[in-house]
Amino acid sequence: MLVVIVDGARRSLPAGELRDFGSFVASAKAGREGANPYGIHPLTFHVVVPRFDVWNPNLNPPISVLLFRPFTAAAPHVAFKWWWGISFVCYVLAIALLVHRYGGKDGPLLALWALAAAGFWDTLALGQIYLPLVLATVVAWLLLERGRAVAAGVLIGFIVAVKPNFAAWPAVLLLAGHLRAPLTAFAVTAILSTIPLLTHGSAIYTQWAGVILADESRTAFLTNASIPGLAARVGVPAAGMIAAVAVLAIVAAWAFRSKPSPLEASAIGMVAAIAASPIAWVHYTLLLLPVFFRWPRSTWLLPAAMLLVVPVPMVLRFLDAPLWQQATIGSVYNWAVILCLVRDRPSAGVPGGSRGFSRVPEGSRGFSGVPGGSRWFQVVPVGSRRFQRVPGGSRRFQRVPGGSGFKSAKFAESAESTEPAQSPLSPRSWAQSEFPPATGVDSKSARFGSATEEPPQPRA
């Protein structure tokens, strides 16, 4: 991974070309001067590669025209360096937050993987918009975990306003019964989307819709990681759209029936958004960083993580390759997203702790306080060797009748554990992890760490 990181850094440093950042600045300048922000301008990026000769205008919603306006005040190449630096810092901060929360002994390896991700260096090289959105996603995820739904909803609303593809995220949260975050998100998206109407009138949305509807040639490009992108690549675009609608419908039904926790709903919502989008570049997968950090050893996420490290230039070598190579090696990002769709589901009720323990902070927002301190755990392995940790965070254990001996590093599934909700996409997907939810906390309330039963008291 170090070799990939060094090569990516070398390729991404600001040079003479402005690439996609030039398109964003050109769009902002045109909007400031009353011209069409979605037209072709002198700074618009022109892409010429095998089988593709296209212009890359700004394809983001009208709010992006206002967001990039401050960068029109400086020379374009100077502004590009500033944007490069801002993007880099946002991504490093996102990784630092995730390592602090989930890293543990795997922290350094997870950080290296995140820095080696193909979408990261290509985003910097192109001057794209995704890395501030990655930071917003990570902060929103951590806020959801702490029960601060409204604050998380504000950030999710900003993400959806800039990338409407991710509207599936709050939609799945809403269907899962978590109301405050998605309702706040939709309200923030509506407010932000109204601002361009006030500054440019309704014409700006007409112009944006025109460039989006005309943008069909890029669907089959190898860095499009969605299911419709893969289908268009192999010559069956209609099948891709049908599959995308089916994925969204199945995920919606699953969320409505299973009522997953906010983090579980967020994970499948973001993955479904990428998988079902007509165009979802490999850069979109960077927003899945919290999913990979939260469940780093999932059977399906491990190969997906490895595929997402394959550098973009290596994938683009297959642009003019035979069809079977484009559909296999050239579509590694698509297969990574599909693997994420069928990943193993973690134990219900372990969003707050790690490796099978359910942390229940006392008095924190969104949690029910548990007497005895903020780090109360109960561990009940199967069989005769059962122990329970006494409240208060001490290292004292009490033997439970039924056997002798204790092996602290080896636990098995409790015979009383409940059957977890199954994913709609695979018989094994979203299956229960190797660590069951702690007994003494019912599976429904434990989804977000709340306890409905008092912890057992120590024996005299």
Side-chain angles (χ1 to χ4, degrees), residues 201-367:
S202 60
I204 192 170
Y205 275 95
T206 303
Q207 294 160 345
W208 176 52
V211 72
I212 291 294
L213 293 174
D215 186 49
E216 296 181 357
S217 60
R218 270 177 280 255
T219 305
F221 201 71
L222 293 183
T223 54
N224 182 7
S226 69
I227 292 176
L230 177 60
R233 205 167 298 143
V234 298
V236 287
M241 295 309 298
I242 293 173
V245 172
V247 166
L248 293 176
I250 295 171
V251 167
W254 169 80
F256 184 75
R257 294 181 60 184
S258 300
K259 304 300 180 187
S261 72
L263 295 193
E264 293 167 350
S266 296
I268 191 63
M270 288 191 287
V271 175
I274 296 172
S277 294
I279 293 180
W281 306 118
V282 62
H283 321 95
Y284 283 43
T285 61
L286 297 176
L287 275 69
L288 300 179
L289 280 189
V291 179
F292 285 96
F293 273 76
R294 177 62 185 83
W295 297 292
R297 299 188 180 186
S298 166
T299 304
W300 299 97
L301 288 185
L302 278 173
M306 290 187 286
L307 293 177
L308 290 174
V309 172
V310 178
V312 169
M314 186 177 297
V315 172
L316 294 184
R317 293 176 184 175
F318 295 91
L319 278 171
D320 55 355
L323 182 60
W324 72 270
Q325 293 183 9
Q326 291 191 33
T328 53
I329 306 173
S331 299
V332 290
Y333 305 141
N334 305 80
W335 296 116
V337 171
I338 291 172
L339 286 172
C340 290
L341 271 178
V342 296
R343 73 175 181 84
D344 289 337
R345 190 183 76 83
S347 292
V350 196
S354 62
R355 303 196 180 279
F357 296 100
S358 179
R359 173 184 285 184
V360 188
E362 182 177 9
S364 64
R365 298 185 182 181
F367 296 86

Side-chain angles (χ1 to χ4, degrees), residues 36-100:
N36 180 5
Y38 295 99
I40 304 300
H41 306 284
L43 292 179
T44 302
F45 186 28
H46 187 202
V47 180
V48 180
V49 293
R51 299 179 57 193
F52 289 90
D53 184 349
V54 295
W55 291 92
N56 265 11
N58 179 21
L59 298 177
N60 296 300
I63 188 64
S64 67
V65 177
L66 299 177
L67 293 176
F68 278 95
R69 181 173 290 185
F71 293 96
T72 64
H77 289 86
V78 174
F80 186 19
K81 292 178 182 178
W82 276 101
W83 179 245
W84 194 99
I86 292 170
S87 298
F88 184 85
V89 169
C90 285
Y91 194 70
V92 171
L93 283 175
I95 295 174
L97 289 171
L98 290 171
V99 169
H100 176 73

